[in-house]
Amino acid sequence: MQTVRELVAAKRNHNRILTLLVTTSDLTGPAKKEVEQFRVEYWHGGLVAEKLRKWRR
């Protein structure tokens, strides 16, 4: 959850609209609530693997 908070702070400090958090695992329940609340897109390990398979084609 600390990583999500740091990303949200960076988003605000640099006045950005879009943020993307990529992780090889999944987020905890509280972290998921924060990414939804602060509109941070995140890709978990399964989604990353799926995108890589599509990009290889």
Side-chain angles (χ1 to χ4, degrees):
M1 190 144 103
Q2 181 179 345
T3 302
V4 174
R5 288 184 178 160
E6 290 174 0
L7 185 57
V8 169
K11 178 181 177 179
R12 286 182 182 162
N13 290 341
H14 296 283
N15 198 26
R16 299 294 175 221
I17 297 170
L18 302 174
T19 50
L20 174 62
L21 174 64
V22 179
T23 179
T24 57
S25 59
D26 203 359
L27 299 178
T28 63
K32 286 181 183 179
K33 287 181 182 178
E34 287 216 10
V35 297
E36 289 173 9
Q37 178 182 355
F38 295 106
R39 296 185 184 135
V40 172
E41 183 175 351
Y42 83 97
W43 295 1
H44 54 79
L47 182 59
V48 171
E50 180 183 322
K51 287 186 179 292
L52 288 173
R53 278 192 298 276
K54 286 181 181 179
W55 291 338
R56 285 183 185 162
R57 294 181 192 163

